[in-house]
Amino acid sequence: MTERYDCHYCKESLFGNKYVLREENPYCVKCYESLYSNTCEECKKPIGCNSRDLSYKDRHWHDECFHCFQCKRSLVDKPFSTKDEQLLCTECYSNEYSSKCHACKKTIMPGSRKMEHKGNSWHETCFTCQRCQQPIGTKSFIPKDNHNYCVPCYEKQFAMQCVHCKKPITTGGVTYHDQPWHKDCFLCTGCKQQLSGQRFTSRDDFAYCLNCFCNLYAKKCASCTTPISGLGGSKYISFEERQWHNDCFNCKKCSVSLVGRGFLTERDDILCPDCGKDI
């Protein structure tokens, strides 16, 4: 007696009929499709055993239902994108949703490299320097007046040149006598130290730090012999071609300050009236 070979679900004989194995159990086509076939996203009908089941992110389509939502062209074996769960061919997606190049106004296709700056997008080959027209790529650039410039072109066209070294000033800088200087180039004429950020003065159009200026040109105090700068509102006393710091203008004998008071002289010394009585 021949052994029976029946559908695992409906128990109908499978002899002479098509069947499908699932987990080693045989099913007639009708039962298999009823129990296990996926439903097509497009037509909502089961995807039978005789149809190819195309799937994407747990969603399924018949071969003939797998097409672009807008132009209806088949997407089988073709690249595609999705928007709001709708399938779109690359061309339709690009025309509808992709960025437009700020330079050529054409669509930047998905997957192609694009450059972005302040909300605008460019094809890589369209993102060029306004002056030399060479692609900027990932190099540094400087925007100006709605145009982009590579750093060398920007420096040539717009940057001020240091009056000392004649090279472009790209950041910072110092203005002296209406002329631009690099901070590293603006130095004391005497000691060659940087003057940027510190007080300085000039003589004959040459800049000096206060120390060098005082040592070279300031008068010397008749008492302590150190320079009297006279800068920054500092006060000093002058008498018969001699000068004193305010703090140094004191009686030679009793050391009382003579600023704003009468005084007497004895050779190179200055005395208060009380100490001068004995002269």
Side-chain angles (χ1 to χ4, degrees):
M1 184 176 179
T2 305
E3 183 180 356
R4 291 183 61 83
Y5 194 66
D6 299 336
C7 171
H8 184 69
Y9 185 75
C10 71
K11 307 305 181 184
E12 290 291 331
S13 175
L14 296 176
F15 280 112
N17 297 314
K18 291 183 178 180
Y19 64 91
V20 180
L21 282 175
R22 180 181 173 89
E23 297 177 355
E24 299 185 0
N25 294 315
Y27 293 84
C28 66
V29 171
K30 182 179 179 180
C31 287
Y32 181 86
E33 290 181 350
S34 174
L35 292 170
Y36 301 114
S37 289
N38 295 306
T39 300
C40 176
E41 287 282 330
E42 179 70 13
C43 68
K44 308 304 180 185
K45 295 178 180 179
I47 303 173
C49 297
N50 295 325
S51 299
R52 183 157 60 147
D53 185 338
L54 302 178
S55 64
Y56 174 72
K57 290 188 175 180
D58 295 326
R59 301 162 67 202
H60 300 264
W61 291 263
H62 289 106
D63 195 306
E64 61 273 15
C65 294
F66 193 66
H67 54 69
C68 174
F69 176 74
Q70 288 192 356
C71 70
K72 306 305 179 184
R73 285 183 293 185
S74 174
L75 297 177
V76 177
D77 299 326
K78 294 179 181 178
F80 65 91
S81 300
T82 60
K83 182 71 175 180
D84 299 329
E85 297 190 351
Q86 300 293 344
L87 302 175
L88 295 167
C89 65
T90 302
E91 184 176 348
C92 287
Y93 182 89
S94 299
N95 292 334
E96 190 74 21
Y97 302 110
S98 291
S99 302
K100 299 294 189 293
C101 177
H102 188 66
C104 71
K105 310 305 179 185
K106 295 180 181 179
T107 300
I108 301 175
M109 300 299 287
S112 62
R113 189 172 183 184
K114 67 178 179 179
M115 314 303 292
E116 295 181 312
H117 177 65
K118 290 189 175 180
N120 292 321
S121 301
W122 290 261
H123 293 108
E124 186 177 17
T125 53
C126 293
F127 190 60
T128 58
C129 170
Q130 176 69 15
R131 189 171 188 268
C132 69
Q133 297 301 310
Q134 294 300 307
I136 294 173
T138 58
K139 294 182 292 187
S140 297
F141 68 95
I142 302 172
K144 182 176 176 64
D145 299 332
N146 295 322
H147 297 298
N148 299 311
Y149 296 84
C150 64
V151 173
C153 284
Y154 181 88
E155 291 178 350
K156 290 175 184 176
Q157 188 160 340
F158 300 109
M160 293 186 295
Q161 288 192 338
C162 175
V163 69
H164 177 73
C165 70
K166 311 303 180 187
K167 294 180 180 179
I169 301 173
T170 55
T171 57
V174 176
T175 300
Y176 175 66
H177 282 187
D178 295 325
Q179 293 180 318
W181 301 67
H182 288 114
K183 290 182 179 180
D184 294 342
C185 294
F186 189 57
L187 309 176
C188 171
T189 304
C191 66
K192 306 304 179 185
Q193 295 298 308
Q194 279 193 34
L195 294 177
S196 176
Q198 64 171 302
R199 294 174 63 199
F200 66 93
T201 187
S202 64
R203 185 180 178 97
D204 299 328
D205 290 336
F206 293 103
Y208 293 88
C209 67
L210 297 188
N211 284 339
C212 286
F213 181 83
C214 290
N215 290 332
L216 291 170
Y217 301 112
K219 298 181 182 299
K220 303 297 190 291
C221 176
S223 176
C224 70
T225 70
T226 59
I228 301 173
S229 70
L231 300 172
S234 60
K235 297 180 179 180
Y236 64 96
I237 308 298
S238 180
F239 176 71
E240 292 184 350
E241 298 185 354
R242 291 188 295 165
Q243 288 78 33
W244 291 262
H245 294 106
N246 262 24
D247 293 341
C248 294
F249 193 61
N250 303 321
C251 174
K252 180 67 174 179
K253 289 188 176 180
C254 70
S255 299
V256 68
S257 174
L258 299 177
V259 176
R261 300 177 57 184
F263 61 90
L264 302 173
T265 61
E266 182 181 16
R267 293 184 293 277
D268 292 336
D269 298 331
I270 54 173
L271 304 171
C272 65
D274 290 337
C275 293
K277 292 178 181 179
D278 301 331
I279 297 177

